[in-house]
Amino acid sequence: MISKDRVRVKEIGKGKEELTQLAMNLDYGVGISRSLRNKINVAFSVEEEKREPSRGVMSEAYRELIAPIEGDIRDARDLIIVPYGALHRVPFAAIRDGKGYLSDRWNISFIPSLSTFMYIGGQGGKSRSVLGMANSVPDTDPLEFAEPEVRDISRYFRKRKVYVGKYAREKIFKGEAPGYDVIHLAVHGLFSDLQPLDSGLVLRGGGGEDGILRISEVFGIDLTGAELVVLSACESGLGVVRPGDEMVALSRAFLYAGTPSLIASLWKVDDRATKLFMDAFYENWKGKGMSKAEALSIAQRKLRSTPGYESPAYWACLLYTSDAADELDGVDLGGRRI
């Protein structure tokens, strides 16, 4: 645990394989890859892959991951989590303490690793313009609520450009994205745990582009002028953890490209639920002036109170990568200062 005043380390009782198993038990979608499951010799049927974690599993996660440090964070308002290994896949907002969810007690945000502190923070407070793209896939698999989503959130910005359908082109995105404070992409996502650099977002092709905005291509886009990127797409927050806990993920690529904060999803998202969530998030953030972390937490609670969307499967998949690195500015990590 790191705060302005101190750094404390507490060791938990579970080893790497046990934590991996716990992460899989917490999975609400099909986000935990088959290759990861095979590494620890665990086989799941299709029905089991789609099951909802029990309250017992959520309580176990609380006992193992949160209870050991609860005394240190009890009075905090914001909780910034830096996951390790399989914990990158854990929907922390949905962990239960016996009385309620963690997202009821804290505004939860994430940082992929301490090494990313140098890439995030310091660009907040602008958000005057937005570039939105939606429903880029031809008639085969349209997202019914994607276009209304980007049009509705765009009204909060003085300068706005929205491309939908055949106009949501990869070439346009690469050319125009560097000029906007907020980028909102309500499109299909593709995740490959075997070839993670080929994971990406589905846009329209043309002009020399194939229509897949891959991780490898995002690294080459200058987003240092952006404040927030929203990847309103399936599995946009998933990645493959490499040695050293460096995660190869679409979300990480956008951070390295320059955006200081990002919203992405851990598993396959429900189209209408995501629209409702984004409506609430932008209303809280832009309409009411809340911080992005608080706006996200309240949006999660609002969606949870909507009939039919009570399950964390609908609201806990959306993760906010924090731009609050300055919260730890000056903290001494054993001779190294953040």
Side-chain angles (χ1 to χ4, degrees):
M1 189 206 72
I2 305 173
S3 68
K4 280 280 191 180
D5 304 319
R6 58 182 175 173
V7 177
R8 297 190 64 185
V9 177
K10 291 193 177 182
E11 184 175 350
I12 64 176
K14 288 188 179 295
K16 181 178 180 180
E17 290 190 0
E18 292 174 302
L19 283 177
T20 301
Q21 180 66 70
L22 178 60
M24 291 193 301
N25 291 341
L26 291 167
D27 182 29
Y28 277 82
V30 292
I32 300 299
S33 68
R34 290 182 182 275
S35 63
L36 178 60
R37 291 173 176 179
N38 291 337
K39 285 179 182 178
I40 62 169
N41 300 315
V42 177
F44 285 85
S45 68
V46 173
E47 290 73 20
E48 287 174 317
E49 285 181 359
K50 296 180 179 179
R51 77 195 190 291
E52 182 167 316
S54 68
R55 290 197 174 192
V57 171
M58 287 299 176
S59 296
E60 178 190 3
Y62 178 80
R63 289 194 306 271
E64 296 292 342
L65 303 176
I66 305 300
I69 61 170
E70 183 174 17
D72 297 310
I73 63 176
R74 182 179 292 113
D75 297 328
R77 181 182 180 188
D78 298 301
L79 187 61
I80 304 173
I81 296 173
V82 186
Y84 181 83
L87 298 183
H88 282 285
R89 314 271 186 145
V90 171
F92 280 88
I95 291 178
R96 297 183 64 90
D97 64 357
K99 298 178 181 178
Y101 296 104
L102 292 193
S103 53
D104 294 331
R105 300 176 58 183
W106 294 286
N107 300 323
I108 298 175
S109 57
F110 297 83
I111 295 174
S113 70
L114 287 177
S115 65
T116 57
F117 269 112
M118 69 182 70
Y119 297 100
I120 62 179
Q123 293 165 303
K126 299 183 299 179
S127 60
R128 294 182 295 268
S129 62
V130 64
L131 172 66
M133 288 191 167
N135 227 0
S136 57
V137 178
D139 304 325
T140 53
D141 193 13
L143 296 169
E144 179 182 357
F145 295 94
E147 182 176 341
E149 178 182 314
V150 295
R151 294 198 185 281
D152 286 349
I153 65 98
S154 69
R155 63 190 174 89
Y156 290 103
F157 299 87
R158 188 176 307 169
K159 176 186 175 183
R160 50 188 177 269
K161 186 72 70 68
V162 173
Y163 295 97
V164 300
K166 65 181 181 180
Y167 301 105
R169 297 183 179 275
E170 182 184 2
K171 185 176 181 64
I172 292 176
F173 176 83
K174 289 180 176 178
E176 297 195 14
Y180 288 85
D181 301 328
V182 175
I183 298 166
H184 189 107
L185 300 173
V187 298
H188 283 289
L190 297 174
F191 172 67
S192 170
D193 59 348
L194 297 178
Q195 299 291 334
L197 288 176
D198 286 337
S199 299
L201 300 172
V202 181
L203 299 171
R204 287 290 180 100
E209 304 290 352
D210 64 1
I212 305 297
L213 181 64
R214 293 177 173 81
I215 287 178
S216 55
E217 295 175 296
V218 174
F219 285 113
I221 302 174
D222 182 5
L223 298 179
T224 53
E227 178 184 356
L228 173 69
V229 170
V230 179
L231 304 180
S232 184
C234 292
E235 303 178 330
S236 56
L238 285 183
V240 176
V241 180
R242 297 302 194 194
D245 201 38
E246 290 298 315
M247 186 173 67
V248 181
L250 191 62
S251 54
R252 175 72 71 94
F254 275 96
L255 292 175
Y256 279 118
T259 181
S261 61
L262 179 139
I263 293 176
S265 64
L266 270 181
W267 53 74
K268 295 183 184 299
V269 296
D270 178 86
D271 186 20
R272 182 172 183 269
T274 305
K275 163 69 164 66
L276 295 173
F277 173 88
M278 292 302 172
D279 286 345
F281 170 75
Y282 279 93
E283 179 185 3
N284 295 333
W285 173 44
K286 293 294 294 175
K288 298 180 180 178
M290 299 179 188
S291 70
K292 291 189 280 293
E294 183 180 14
L296 184 138
S297 291
I298 293 178
Q300 287 178 326
R301 294 197 286 271
K302 182 175 181 179
L303 185 57
R304 196 175 80 214
S305 67
T306 303
Y309 297 106
E310 298 88 351
S311 169
Y314 293 106
W315 53 263
C317 59
L318 293 159
L319 309 180
Y320 168 57
T321 299
S322 175
D323 61 355
D326 57 342
E327 293 290 333
L328 300 179
D329 183 35
V331 172
D332 191 339
L333 294 179
R336 291 188 60 186
R337 301 186 71 82
I338 296 178

